[in-house]
Structures are given as C-alpha cells and as structure tokens.
Amino acid sequence: MNIAIGSLVTATAGRDKGSLLVAVRVHDGFVYIADGRKRKLESPKRKNIKHISPAGAVIDTDGLTNKKLRRLINEYLTHTDLQQTQSL
C-alpha cells in the first residue's frame, strides 16, 4: 500500500480504530498520523501502515494548523455523509 503525505486515512486497528486521520509523515513502513484534536500535528501517532486504510482524498499540508486540520476532516465527513444519504 502506498500512502502519500496529506492522505486522509481511516485507522483499521488499535485504540483509534474507525477514526479519520491525516498522514503527516511516512517513514520505514510506518505512517505518522494526526487529527488536530487528540493527536496534534506537533506529536503525531506512529502507526503501522498495515493498520490504516486510505479514505480516497488528499489534502494540502502546506501551512496546515491543528484548527485547519480539524475543519478539513469535519468537512470531509459531512460531505461523504451527505453523499451516502442522497444515494439511499
């Protein structure tokens, strides 16, 4: 699996299973992820690449702050929820 910096990912295992996060760094089979709330950009969580799944969107990480990150994740969740309810 190839995860790029700025990719929105979903945790598939661990304490944060099911949560939407952003890959802020990739190094040696591990992805460092943050959500701007519990996991800040300053101290991202190291997660095995096997334990995440790409959500299908990439955000620009230039000038990204924790506040902007929370807003972008929330907008993505709102947008995908609207699409799923409209298709029903």
Side-chain angles (χ1 to χ4, degrees), residues 3-4 6-11 19-23 31 33 52-57:
I3 302 291
S7 297
L8 281 170
V9 297
T10 304
S19 54
L20 192 64
L21 306 135
V22 174
V31 178
I33 53 176
I52 59 171
S53 171

Side-chain angles (χ1 to χ4, degrees), residues 54-70:
V58 178
I59 62 168
D60 184 21
T61 57
D62 291 336
L64 191 63
T65 63
N66 289 312
K67 185 176 182 177
K68 287 181 186 177
L69 180 57
R70 289 190 303 266

Side-chain angles (χ1 to χ4, degrees), residues 25-88:
R25 195 169 120 206
V26 180
H27 181 43
D28 288 338
F30 290 97
V31 178
Y32 292 81
I33 53 176
D35 66 359
R37 189 171 311 271
K38 188 175 179 181
R39 287 291 174 175
K40 306 283 186 186
L41 290 168
E42 299 82 31
S43 58
K45 179 177 180 162
R46 185 178 100 156
K47 192 111 173 127
N48 191 318
I49 201 162
K50 296 175 189 174
H51 299 156
I52 59 171
S53 171
V58 178
I59 62 168
D60 184 21
T61 57
D62 291 336
L64 191 63
T65 63
N66 289 312
K67 185 176 182 177
K68 287 181 186 177
L69 180 57
R70 289 190 303 266
R71 183 178 48 83
L72 289 170
I73 290 173
N74 193 24
E75 285 176 6
Y76 178 80
L77 288 171
T78 305
H79 180 70
T80 54
D81 286 345
L82 284 176
Q83 282 184 343
Q84 288 175 358
T85 25
Q86 288 176 355
S87 64
L88 293 176

